[in-house]
Amino acid sequence: MRQKVFAKHTRQLKHAFGRRMHTQYILDILNIGHDVLFSDVDIVWLHRPYRFFNDPFDIFILEDQGPPSPTVLCAGFVVYKSTNATKQFMERWIAEIDIFKEPRPDQVVLNRLFQNKLMIKKPVPNFKYKVLDPNRFVSGHYYFNATWRKQNPQVKPVVLHNNWLQWEETAD
């Protein structure tokens, strides 16, 4: 069994590296009945986030940046509940990834699903998602902006996306 699974994913890797591998692995895990918390390596956990995932939603997702910009959902920190709606959503996301001839990051396709109203035209029945509170699940776009931090001293992140870093070159 293990060899068949490995061979299957090896073929997929050759075909779809950079496009759909992690989404397929997540769907495989959901299909055996487990929930999945997917966290990129640039996500810093400052506190345990689990208490934020008890509401009746199929997925909980981090926002990469927020107002005044349009919402950009981040595929780098998502909790997927093993529900039929989540599995249907994942199948839809993978199918959308496969439509493109040129590789596109899964996050681009994810946002296309929501921003271009593809979920409205062909909704997944009973699919419910929650964008995590941006004051608890903070994008580096804000956190590493000194002006924003000065204006928001009350923000106490649970999870910090360690992105949007800016630094100055220094002489050694």
Side-chain angles (χ1 to χ4, degrees), residues 106-118:
D106 60 338
Q107 182 167 307
V108 170
V109 178
L110 173 75
N111 280 282
R112 182 176 176 268
L113 278 171
F114 287 98
Q115 292 173 350
N116 292 347
K117 314 259 187 269
L118 293 177

Side-chain angles (χ1 to χ4, degrees), residues 142-155 160:
Y142 293 114
Y143 192 79
F144 296 111
N145 178 313
T147 303
W148 182 87
R149 285 191 59 190
K150 222 178 257 187
Q151 294 170 348
N152 296 279
Q154 78 287 357
V155 171
L160 171 62

Side-chain angles (χ1 to χ4, degrees), residues 9-10 12-13 16-26:
H9 289 298
T10 301
Q12 288 176 341
L13 182 62
F17 182 75
R19 293 179 60 187
R20 67 179 278 214
M21 283 310 298
H22 97 270
T23 51
Q24 185 63 56
Y25 282 128
I26 290 167

Side-chain angles (χ1 to χ4, degrees), residues 4-50:
K4 285 184 180 180
V5 170
F6 179 76
K8 171 187 165 192
H9 289 298
T10 301
R11 283 191 304 276
Q12 288 176 341
L13 182 62
K14 289 177 184 175
H15 171 70
F17 182 75
R19 293 179 60 187
R20 67 179 278 214
M21 283 310 298
H22 97 270
T23 51
Q24 185 63 56
Y25 282 128
I26 290 167
L27 179 58
D28 290 347
I29 294 167
L30 293 170
N31 281 331
I32 60 172
H34 295 286
D35 295 342
V36 176
L37 189 159
F38 182 86
S39 181
D40 275 351
V41 296
D42 64 346
I43 300 289
V44 178
W45 294 26
L46 301 172
H47 303 281
R48 290 181 172 190
Y50 306 111

